[in-house]
Structure formats: C-alpha cells, structure tokens
Amino acid sequence: MQTHKIAVIAGDGIGPEVINEGVKVLKKIAELDGSFQFEFEFFPWGCEYYLKEGRMMAENGMEILSGFDAVLLGAVGYPGVPDHISLWDLLLVIRKSFDQYINLRPVKLLKGAPCPLKDVKREEINMTFIRENSEGEYAGSGSWLFRGKPNEVVIQDGVFSRHGCERVIRYAYELARKEKKTLTNVSKGNALNYSMVFWDQIFREVGKDYPDVETHSLMVDAASMFMVKDPARFQIVVTSNLFGDILTDLGAAISGGMGLAAGANLNPERKFPSMFEPIHGSAPDIAGKGIANPLATVWSVSQMLDFFGHEDWGKRVLDVIEEMLVENTCLTPDLGGTAKTWEVGDRVVEKLAK
Ligand code: NAD
Ligand code: IPM
Ligand code: MN
C-alpha cells in the first residue's frame, strides 16, 4: 500500500481548529479509497512553543521535516510574539529552505459562495495565481543602521535572481499552455526600475518559448482595480512574492472570503516536501470559539491530493465544498451560517462517504 507521510504543524490561533478538520478529511479519504494511507506526525511548533522553548520549532526541525512527503500547516503568529520572528522562524523558513518557489493559489468563485461584486457572473472569477515564493521582496535581506539614533536608516532589499524569476515564470507559462488559458504578468516596472524591469524582461524572454500562450501585462495597481471591476480578464496570473501575497487576499475577498482561500507551496522538483495551508492567518479575533471556517484548509487538502497524484479525490473534495456552499445548511458564520468548525468537517466527511 502506498503511504504518504504528512508532517502536521497546526500552529497558532485557529490553526489547530481548522487543521483537525483537514486531517479528518484525509483520514476518511484513505479509508474510502483503500489503495493508499496517510501517516501523520503532529508537531507542537508555533508561538506557544516559542514562549516555552525560546524557539519556533525544534532545533533540528528542518531536518525532521525533510523526512516527510508533505507538510500540512494551519497558521502561524499570535499576539505576544513579534510577527517577524514567528513567521520568519517557522512558515518562511520552511518555504525557503525547502525551495517551495511556487505558491499556487486558486481564486475561483464556487457556486454558492458569496461575492461582494455586483454585475459579475460567477464563472468570471476563475483564476490561478502563481506567486513567486522564495525571494523578491521577501528575501529577508537588508540592514538597520544607527538603531534608535536620530540618523537611523533601514534598508529592505528586494532580491530578484535570474534563476528565481525564470523558473516561476516558466512554471506559469507551462500551466497556461497545459490548461489553454491566458497568462497575465503583474509587475510594476514604472516605479521599481531595477527589479520589475528585470522581471518584465524575463517574462518576455521566457515567452519566446511559448508563442501559443496569449499573454497580458499589468501594473499591480491597475491589476488590483481590474480584479474588482473586470475579474474575467484574469486566468493564470504570475507575480512577485509581495504582490502575490496582497492580490490573493483581494482574490479571497471576491471569491467567498478568507475562510475559503487555499494555497500550495510547491517544490515542483520534489526534492523537498511541499507544504499545503489555508492562506489566512491565526485569526486571534475568533480563535477558540469554534467558528473558524475549515473549508480553506479542506481546499488545501484537495491541492495536496492533486499533488500526490490522487486528482480524482482532489476534485471530489472540491465538489463537496461546492455542494455544501450551494446547500447552505452547514456553514460557519463568515459564510452566513451557524455551524461550528467541526460540524463543517463532519459534513464534508459524511458527503465524501456517499
Ligand atoms: P487573518 O487571516 O488571521 O485574519 C483576517 C480576518 O479574517 C480576521 O477577521 C479573521 O477572523 C478572518 N478569518 C481568517 N481566517 C478565517 C477563517 N478560517 N474563518 C473565518 N474567518 C477567518 O489575518 P491577520 O489578522 O492579519 O493576522 C493574524 C495573525 O496571523 C498575525 O500574527 C499574522 O502575522 C498571522 N498570519 C499568518 C499567516 C499564515 O500562517 N499563513 C497568514 C496571514 C497572517
Ligand atoms: C500568506 C501570509 C504570509 C506571507 C505571512 C504570514 C508571512 O500572509 O501566506 O499569505 O506574507 O506570505
Ligand atoms: Mn497573506
């Protein structure tokens, strides 16, 4: 029997609440299928761990994780630990050390999902964001000079390597070709006169290998506007780390909210484990109340199933999410319902079994 080894990092706030439901779904699927199984190991890393141990993960944490096929992550960050420490020492270190340079985030308005845009048809919101996930504005390079002095200076570098830009842009072209979709490049070459001019140049260079792919290029400011005014323009989108972060929260807002937004951090070469997570944070405002929406996590579980080659199950899980949205009888408060987090998970499992 095929075994997939999953490292589970539930993390902080609503992380453990939503992760429970993701694990529940994976267990049920393995049971229903019978030809593969999951082996879970749970790691208590996160802000509580930090307050006890003085670190966000075990000292040999990355080495431990490297023995798994995938990581399932809830959310990281909680008041009491500075965000730049909690995120850099757990989530971001995993993305970078495991060279998960593709952050694949679907922005698709499923049937039944609420949308704040008027005059937009449901099928017009159906995009896939390919966000650069290893460098760029998130390179973590810079300096802090004369700290606390009147002449204090802070520098945050953007690092755009040819290798780093080419590989993510090529991945996006390949996906556009495979899915016969248009590819939109989002950048900001008018103001960012080194990094984004270079990015755009590479977009054109790589594009020479894909004459069959229809492309568009937009500045990130205009892209934000069009995502609201004319989302049908976007199919596959490729963009930098920070722009992708921001635009996918906007994407979540137009496709049902943070409770429905999923993401996969992929190392396409499979040299390292990939990581699957909802794109939302630890939501301290609702943590511990049992009302967090687990469907974003369930959607990321669907991405994990795809990545393992169980696309039939990946699709089935997504179909179940859509059925639940249409039925509108077992949803959490963010989607206008009264269900608890675990009730939503239980319903997903029940539907899968049918
Ligand atoms: P957030 O995503 O945690 O919350 C934003 C808003 O969305 C809140 O009102 C929250 O209640 C709501 N929300 C989020 N997920 C929801 C869900 N599943 N169901 C229902 N409502 C949901 O963003 P924030 O408040 O900016 O950040 C809180 C903490 O999380 C910070 O420490 C931040 O650094 C961290 N963070 C972590 C990740 C991650 O681990 N991937 C992502 C974003 C933010
Ligand atoms: C996300 C998050 C992270 C990011 C933060 C928590 C570092 O916002 O996954 O979207 O900016 O990548
Ligand atoms: Mn984000």
Side-chain angles (χ1 to χ4, degrees):
M1 171 140 43
Q2 201 184 4
T3 301
H4 304 297
K5 288 182 70 186
I6 315 291
V8 183
I9 305 174
D12 306 312
I14 62 170
E17 302 172 42
V18 295
I19 280 300
N20 266 339
E21 308 313 310
V23 170
K24 200 185 267 179
V25 169
L26 284 171
K27 281 186 175 159
K28 186 64 184 190
I29 286 171
E31 179 196 314
L32 290 168
D33 186 281
S35 76
F36 59 87
Q37 61 182 2
F38 295 102
E39 215 176 272
F40 297 99
E41 196 169 332
F42 296 79
F43 296 95
W45 302 336
C47 288
E48 253 177 63
Y49 184 89
Y50 179 91
L51 293 174
K52 277 186 287 191
E53 308 287 336
R55 42 190 319 124
M56 287 298 292
M57 63 159 89
E59 206 168 346
N60 59 343
M62 291 308 301
E63 197 188 313
I64 297 174
L65 292 180
S66 67
F68 288 83
D69 298 314
V71 179
L72 181 63
L73 183 130
V76 181
Y78 215 70
V81 181
D83 274 340
H84 67 279
I85 293 177
S86 56
L87 273 309
W88 268 98
D89 290 358
L90 190 52
L91 178 73
L92 295 178
V93 80
I94 297 174
R95 286 184 186 164
K96 276 168 204 284
S97 310
F98 287 163
D99 209 16
Q100 296 165 346
Y101 62 89
I102 300 299
N103 193 189
L104 195 153
R105 296 185 162 182
V107 174
K108 182 173 160 68
L109 184 62
L110 298 181
K111 289 192 201 99
C115 177
L117 306 181
K118 57 181 181 65
D119 308 327
V120 165
K121 290 198 214 74
R122 193 159 294 281
E123 23 341 315
E124 290 177 348
I125 300 182
N126 187 1
M127 4 182 157
T128 303
F129 268 79
I130 306 298
R131 167 192 180 191
E132 203 294 316
N133 210 33
S134 67
E135 54 169 33
E137 308 88 341
Y138 283 49
S141 155
S143 37
W144 198 314
L145 305 171
F146 315 114
R147 200 183 277 253
K149 307 258 166 54
N151 56 343
E152 190 164 16
V153 176
V154 172
I155 298 166
Q156 183 93 44
D157 304 314
V159 176
F160 290 75
S161 66
R162 173 168 283 279
H163 174 67
C165 296
E166 273 181 12
R167 62 184 185 174
V168 65
I169 288 172
R170 189 167 292 281
Y171 185 97
Y173 270 108
E174 285 290 333
L175 186 64
R177 171 177 279 172
K178 188 172 131 212
E179 298 195 343
K180 297 191 172 33
K181 290 186 172 163
T182 64
L183 175 61
T184 299
N185 171 38
V186 176
S187 61
K188 185 71 188 171
N190 51 0
L192 303 180
N193 52 342
Y194 297 105
S195 58
M196 288 294 162
V197 172
F198 182 62
W199 173 281
D200 287 342
Q201 179 191 314
I202 292 181
F203 184 76
R204 288 189 300 271
E205 278 175 27
V206 174
K208 290 193 183 123
D209 293 341
Y210 301 85
D212 50 314
V213 174
E214 180 186 327
T215 62
H216 302 274
S217 275
L218 288 172
M219 301 287 171
V220 65
D221 44 358
S224 323
M225 179 275 293
F226 281 130
M227 275 181 72
V228 172
K229 298 291 283 184
D230 186 17
R233 283 171 174 261
F234 301 92
Q235 294 183 351
I236 311 290
V237 183
V238 67
T239 191
S240 70
N241 210 330
L242 179 62
F243 293 171
D245 173 48
I246 299 167
L247 290 178
T248 52
D249 261 38
L250 176 56
I254 62 171
S255 59
M258 294 309 283
L260 275 176
N265 304 272
L266 303 178
N267 174 248
E269 292 76 26
R270 298 176 192 242
K271 206 171 138 200
F272 303 103
S274 290
M275 177 164 66
F276 300 82
E277 51 162 351
I279 83 165
H280 62 71
S282 59
D285 53 339
I286 58 165
K289 297 187 177 148
I291 56 167
N293 188 349
L295 291 176
T297 303
V298 174
W299 194 329
S300 64
V301 155
S302 148
Q303 290 185 296
M304 182 191 282
L305 289 159
D306 288 346
F307 189 71
F308 283 148
H310 306 304
E311 286 96 348
D312 44 346
W313 280 115
K315 178 164 186 325
R316 179 73 194 117
V317 170
L318 200 51
D319 288 347
V320 164
I321 295 175
E322 191 159 49
E323 282 169 31
M324 292 190 42
L325 291 165
V326 170
E327 282 174 11
N328 195 14
T329 54
C330 183
L331 298 172
T332 43
D334 57 307
L335 292 174
T338 54
K340 295 289 188 184
T341 307
W342 58 88
E343 292 173 327
V344 173
D346 285 351
R347 182 65 68 91
V348 171
V349 158
E350 197 183 301
K351 282 180 157 295
L352 284 169
K354 272 194 196 138

